[in-house]
Amino acid sequence: MRNVLIPDIKQTFQKLLSTRKLPGIASWTTSYCGAEGGVPIPSDLSSGVNPEVHDTVMFVTLRPTEVGVLGWAVSCKSESQYGRPIAGQLNISPMIFQSPKLLQLGVMLHETTHALGFSGSSFSSFVDEYGNPRANPTVVKTSTFTGSSGSSYSKSIYYLKTPEVVARAKTYLNCETTDAVPLEEKGGEGTAGSHFEKSFIMNELMVGSVGWFNPTESYAFSQFTLAVLQDSGWYLANFTHATPTLWGANMGCSFLEKRCENWETQQNVGYYCNTPFKSDGVTRVNYCTFNYRSKGYCDVAKYSSPLNYYEHLPNPTEGGSDDLLNYCPIVFRYEDGKCTNVDNRAITGEKYGLSSGCFDSNIALLGAKQNPVDARCFRYNCHSGGYLQVVIDAPTGDKIYDCPIDESYLRIENDAPIGMTGYVTCPKNGYTMLCKTPFVDPTVTSKFPNVGNSGGSNPLCDWFGIWCSPSNRVTYSMRVIAPVVIGALVLAH
């Protein structure tokens, strides 16, 4: 933790954020920092947070947490002029060291971001570009649904409506009427209202839960978390280092305005689905995940009672397994479903490798059993002309299909390779998803890539002055509080 994780965390935030230098030493008002016993203020920091040395001080502890909680963080001191958090405690569960390094890094980044201001308790303290309190950063909207019983159910949902967040959501979703983005409504205290709604931005760093069987490949410190931190008025974000996201991109206005069963998914595979893993108890139904990287299945679970407001399927006792997805059934990837994994077993026409993706297709040998809907891992080419090519590995040689240059969905029938039968599709936005967006595989790297959306010029530079300069990135001090035995399941204190 000392030698790898903490340096990674510090480097990430110093790369992504700028802030103002404190006008002077910020003195402590208590003798400790944090929660659940906190951390006594060390003697060398007893005079306060010195702006000549630190912009933010984060005390890192390794202490047991309640079951299912991998970590937490709190702010313990804010600067007096604009309210920016300048000190906090980050506590990590010792159990986290049984998890992959990517998850360890993601949890520490996630919790530190909470302490920096991404929290329901901090939104009301946000300031605008002039340093004045930001007016109405959140709004409550009421959603009503009539369930299978005929009863009406309503939910009050908090939305974040700060300017940079909304502007980026409009572009990302391709929806000019977007006026706010939803915050998590479920999960209880500590989760609800302090995270992005998971169905809005599936694998974003600041959703409320993690899971290795979701359709994503990594956790993204995206433009949206950076936009929240910038809209706090406490930081200037470097959007050029945001990690790209794909979930929900160009899904249109229905993605936020309607329930998942009413999303525009006819040509957008991998989102809402309504056919269980084995629809007839025998035949496995395969789908492609939304990013066209893996084969997956429709995540449908059975419950002991109707889901009421969260009913999304004809059977009111069935729904998705993830409550933070509002029980929406979506396509989850198989553990062994990644098309890039050369160790996976290929069937007719398939080829696994780094240049392979998932395509809606039921191509098979003549006379072989076929499902009416299926998925295949085929090779693809990114043509220099700006369009996608699908390559089927046929017995008579490669069969190449040119996809539309406008990236529209195309189902190709009656043109299977010789000796084969079935259909193949060109996916909507396939060239963008497979050719223009870098693939981040956690088995290869835990670093966040230097790619993303350019923030361009920003009027906040007038307010931050020299802190817009890359040479004046925010400086974080993260101190491990001893004794710490790295890898132990129980910390000494």
Side-chain angles (χ1 to χ4, degrees):
M1 187 163 74
R2 283 189 178 99
N3 298 326
V4 178
L5 290 174
I6 287 179
D8 277 359
I9 300 298
K10 291 173 63 176
Q11 180 184 31
T12 297
F13 283 110
Q14 289 170 350
K15 178 175 66 176
L16 291 172
L17 299 174
S18 302
T19 191
R20 296 182 211 79
K21 188 175 181 180
L22 295 171
I25 294 177
S27 301
W28 303 102
T29 56
T30 63
S31 60
Y32 70 94
C33 172
E36 298 185 10
V39 176
I41 304 301
S43 58
D44 61 322
L45 292 175
S46 60
S47 61
V49 179
N50 186 342
E52 299 301 324
V53 182
H54 314 293
D55 291 307
T56 302
V57 175
M58 195 68 62
F59 300 105
V60 183
T61 53
L62 193 63
R63 298 172 183 170
T65 59
E66 62 183 271
V67 176
V69 176
L70 297 177
W72 51 262
V74 293
S75 169
C76 65
K77 183 170 183 58
S78 300
E79 53 100 354
S80 58
Q81 187 172 11
Y82 299 111
R84 177 174 68 83
I86 58 173
Q89 178 190 3
L90 166 63
N91 184 67
I92 299 300
S93 168
M95 297 296 291
I96 200 173
F97 294 105
Q98 298 179 4
S99 303
K101 187 196 168 188
L102 180 75
L103 180 60
Q104 299 172 29
L105 180 65
V107 168
M108 293 184 72
L109 285 169
H110 175 104
E111 299 302 339
T112 303
T113 302
H114 276 315
L116 294 181
F118 195 123
S119 171
S121 61
S122 297
F123 295 148
S124 60
S125 300
F126 282 8
V127 296
D128 62 19
E129 60 269 32
Y130 304 104
N132 299 317
R134 188 173 290 285
N136 304 317
T138 59
V139 63
V140 179
K141 298 183 180 183
T142 301
S143 175
T144 303
F145 174 72
T146 300
S148 59
S149 66
S151 298
S152 181
Y153 304 96
S154 295
K155 293 288 181 182
S156 295
I157 303 170
Y158 278 86
Y159 285 70
L160 197 62
K161 54 173 291 187
T162 54
E164 189 69 24
V165 170
V166 170
R168 289 179 176 271
K170 287 181 177 181
T171 300
Y172 184 78
L173 296 172
N174 192 20
C175 175
E176 277 302 311
T177 60
T178 298
D179 61 357
V181 300
L183 295 170
E184 184 55 63
E185 65 190 80
K186 295 188 68 63
E189 185 179 2
T191 299
S194 291
H195 299 85
F196 285 126
E197 163 60 46
K198 194 171 183 180
S199 63
F200 159 58
I201 191 76
M202 168 75 70
N203 64 323
E204 224 282 341
L205 180 74
M206 297 309 293
V207 297
S209 67
V210 298
W212 287 103
F213 294 96
N214 68 31
T216 61
E217 306 291 351
S218 65
Y219 301 101
F221 204 133
S222 83
Q223 59 175 323
F224 292 107
T225 288
L226 288 177
V228 172
L229 294 174
Q230 179 159 298
D231 280 341
S232 71
W234 302 325
Y235 311 97
L236 185 71
N238 182 357
F239 288 98
T240 61
H241 289 296
T243 309
T245 52
L246 295 173
W247 176 266
N250 296 305
M251 281 288 286
C253 298
S254 69
F255 198 61
L256 291 190
E257 296 173 358
K258 296 181 181 180
R259 292 165 58 88
C260 61
E261 62 267 34
N262 297 317
W263 288 345
E264 297 172 3
T265 56
Q266 185 176 4
Q267 297 180 2
N268 294 288
V269 301
Y271 290 87
Y272 174 80
C273 57
N274 56 18
T275 305
F277 175 64
K278 292 187 177 180
S279 60
D280 57 5
V282 178
T283 305
R284 189 169 90 166
V285 181
N286 298 316
Y287 298 92
C288 292
T289 55
F290 76 97
N291 58 1
Y292 311 142
R293 298 288 186 181
S294 302
K295 291 182 182 179
Y297 62 95
C298 187
D299 172 50
V300 176
K302 293 184 180 295
Y303 296 89
S304 59
S305 60
L307 293 174
N308 298 330
Y309 176 82
Y310 297 106
E311 294 175 12
H312 304 289
L313 293 168
N315 185 338
T317 62
E318 291 184 342
S321 64
D322 193 336
D323 65 331
L324 296 193
L325 281 171
N326 301 325
Y327 300 100
C328 286
I330 67 167
V331 178
F332 277 18
R333 68 176 171 89
Y334 295 120
E335 186 175 9
D336 60 350
K338 292 167 66 174
C339 294
T340 53
N341 187 352
V342 295
D343 295 327
N344 287 338
R345 183 176 66 86
I347 60 177
T348 302
E350 289 190 316
K351 190 81 170 181
Y352 286 83
L354 292 179
S355 295
S356 295
C358 187
F359 297 88
D360 177 16
S361 174
N362 68 347
I363 288 287
L365 291 174
L366 287 171
K369 183 180 178 180
Q370 283 178 296
N371 291 334
V373 176
D374 216 330
R376 298 284 188 268
C377 287
F378 295 141
R379 284 180 295 140
Y380 64 87
N381 296 327
C382 300
H383 196 275
S384 59
Y387 58 89
L388 186 71
Q389 292 180 315
V390 183
V391 184
I392 295 181
D393 193 35
T396 55
D398 290 348
K399 173 76 171 182
I400 299 177
Y401 299 88
D402 291 340
C403 292
I405 196 166
D406 65 359
E407 299 192 73
S408 59
Y409 175 89
L410 177 65
R411 182 181 172 110
I412 303 169
E413 306 263 13
N414 304 315
D415 191 23
I418 296 174
M420 306 177 78
T421 183
Y423 73 91
V424 64
T425 61
C426 288
K428 181 180 177 181
N429 297 320
Y431 184 81
T432 295
M433 300 282 267
L434 292 170
C435 300
K436 295 175 66 175
T437 304
F439 174 52
V440 184
D441 189 330
T443 63
V444 175
T445 176
S446 65
K447 298 290 186 181
F448 291 91
N450 298 334
V451 293
N453 300 291
S454 174
S457 60
N458 197 301
L460 286 176
C461 289
D462 295 334
W463 190 45
F464 278 85
I466 64 169
W467 287 276
C468 285
S469 167
S471 63
N472 289 281
R473 295 291 172 216
V474 61
T475 301
Y476 292 91
S477 174
M478 303 188 77
R479 176 174 300 205
V480 178
I481 304 303
V484 171
V485 182
I486 301 302
L489 296 180
V490 179
L491 187 67
H493 75 97

